[in-house]
Amino acid sequence: MQKRFYSNGKLLITSEYLVLDGATALALPTKFGQDLVVEETQNQTIAWTSYEVDGGIWMEVHLSIESIISGHGNNLNPQEERLFSILHQAHLMNPNLLQNTSGFSVETHLGFPKLWGLGSSSTLINNVAQWFDIDAYQLLERTFGGSGYDIACAQHNSAILYRKHQNNPEIQEIDFEPACAEHIYFVYLNQKQDSRKAIETYRTKNQTSKNITVFNTLTQDVLAQNDFDSLSQIMHKHEELLSEILEIKPVQETLFNDFNGTIKSLGGWGGDFVMALCKSNPKDYFAAKGFTTILPYSEMIQ
């Protein structure tokens, strides 16, 4: 019998980086996600095929059930090794699934280009956790690490406030439709950010409870005041403060200093998507600078 699991992609709107230390973040699940389709077989392997959004295969591998159980894989490339590690850790958390099967055929299908950074890893983790009937946050901790906000987005179909408290997730579903949603666009910067490297860099900075309190306040301000002018001011302040902590110039200063509006980085600075607030459609502006993936709020967010 075939089973299908699905997880949403994610965008982190506030408290990037500081969410790792307990700051409250506003996160939005996207209309794009990834599914996992699994069917039992008799071949003593997990025959795994991962498909890109255009239907092309980006990973195809056969992993023996025995090797996943033992944790000893051979001749795997880095992508295959990461998958192998996820499956091995999932097995350790629930040994019954693989010990009581003759094999599986698995397909995953991305609903967005893999380089967009909307959560190809987090959606995979959450889908595997659903398949093995285990806790996705624990599986994340055992594999990629991170705050877990992306897992929360994978599991929820509305905006959330997310806080990591003593390694446990605190999640509040909220109704969030910014008053200026028609003036919000998401622009892909043509390069994928390595989340793990971004986190490692952030970890070299010393955080204080004062910083966390400031970003908690900014998150609440976004919920309370999201007309165009107010949201622009809040996002500009957010960028300035995080720029000081990271010792990195804001993206608007480095790439878009002539933009008539406000631009904010989302997630790890330096790649993936930015959020642009502009009263007129900025497609021509960004396209002229070589950035052609521009999605309005209504096309990106659930």
Side-chain angles (χ1 to χ4, degrees):
M1 182 178 70
Q2 191 179 83
K3 295 182 179 180
R4 179 181 182 268
F5 306 95
Y6 181 82
S7 296
N8 301 316
K10 48 72 181 180
L11 283 174
L12 185 61
I13 305 302
T14 68
S15 298
E16 60 266 31
Y17 296 103
L18 283 94
V19 68
L20 293 161
D21 292 320
T24 299
L26 171 62
L28 304 178
T30 67
K31 290 184 175 179
F32 306 97
Q34 180 173 209
D35 75 357
L36 182 153
V37 180
V38 58
E39 192 165 3
E40 286 203 61
T41 65
Q42 301 296 319
N43 55 16
Q44 304 300 317
T45 67
I46 292 182
W48 189 287
T49 308
S50 293
Y51 291 91
E52 264 273 24
V53 66
D54 62 2
I57 295 173
W58 65 269
M59 181 170 63
E60 190 170 25
V61 63
H62 287 69
L63 303 170
S64 75
I65 298 292
E66 181 182 356
S67 69
I68 295 170
I69 290 174
S70 69
H72 300 299
N74 296 312
N75 302 318
L76 301 177
N77 65 36
Q79 287 182 333
E80 295 166 350
E81 183 65 44
R82 283 192 289 273
L83 172 63
F84 181 85
S85 176
I86 291 169
L87 294 174
H88 176 61
Q89 291 300 325
H91 164 72
L92 294 179
M93 294 173 68
N94 178 11
N96 294 327
L97 185 72
L98 296 187
Q99 289 175 347
N100 296 317
T101 186
S102 297
F104 292 102
S105 172
V106 180
E107 291 184 359
T108 66
H109 307 89
L110 273 173
F112 55 89
K114 189 159 61 77
L115 295 179
W116 275 12
L118 293 183
S120 55
S121 297
S122 57
T123 52
L124 173 62
I125 289 286
N126 194 62
N127 284 338
V128 169
Q130 291 181 81
W131 174 27
F132 276 75
D133 193 23
I134 57 178
D135 186 284
Y137 295 98
Q138 291 183 24
L139 183 58
L140 177 72
E141 188 63 30
R142 286 168 172 251
T143 52
F144 293 100
S147 70
Y149 89 88
D150 45 3
I151 297 297
C153 284
Q155 297 177 354
H156 291 79
N157 295 321
S158 68
I160 60 170
L161 292 179
Y162 181 88
R163 177 176 177 243
K164 186 178 182 180
H165 179 60
Q166 297 178 349
N167 290 325
N168 294 315
E170 295 182 353
I171 305 155
Q172 179 185 351
E173 284 194 356
I174 59 172
D175 292 324
F176 180 70
E177 180 67 30
C180 61
E182 64 183 309
H183 300 305
I184 297 176
Y185 302 84
F186 298 98
V187 184
Y188 180 56
L189 294 185
N190 299 337
Q191 57 183 344
K192 191 178 189 310
Q193 176 66 296
D194 188 323
S195 299
R196 283 171 290 181
K197 288 184 178 179
I199 290 171
E200 289 172 6
T201 300
Y202 167 75
R203 285 301 188 199
T204 66
K205 314 299 179 183
N206 293 320
Q207 285 316 301
T208 67
S209 58
K210 179 181 177 182
N211 286 337
I212 292 173
T213 299
V214 168
F215 281 87
N216 287 348
T217 299
L218 288 173
T219 296
Q220 292 300 326
D221 288 345
V222 170
L223 302 184
Q225 307 172 58
N226 47 60
D227 61 275
F228 184 88
D229 290 337
S230 297
L231 189 58
S232 296
Q233 291 174 9
I234 295 166
M235 293 307 174
H236 181 71
K237 183 177 181 182
H238 194 294
E239 288 284 277
E240 281 190 332
L241 292 172
L242 197 51
S243 172
E244 293 176 6
I245 292 171
L246 299 176
E247 299 176 350
I248 301 174
K249 290 182 178 179
V251 66
Q252 185 159 359
E253 185 176 335
T254 58
L255 295 179
F256 310 112
N257 61 2
D258 58 344
F259 181 66
N260 185 22
T262 301
I263 295 176
K264 183 190 179 300
S265 292
L266 303 174
W269 281 30
D272 298 339
F273 277 86
V274 296
M275 183 171 73
L277 285 83
C278 183
K279 289 188 175 180
S280 59
N281 191 323
K283 181 177 180 179
D284 291 343
Y285 170 86
F286 288 111
K289 292 181 175 290
F291 303 99
T292 56
T293 301
I294 305 149
L295 283 76
Y297 188 96
S298 60
E299 293 181 15
M300 175 69 88
I301 303 302
Q302 290 240 22

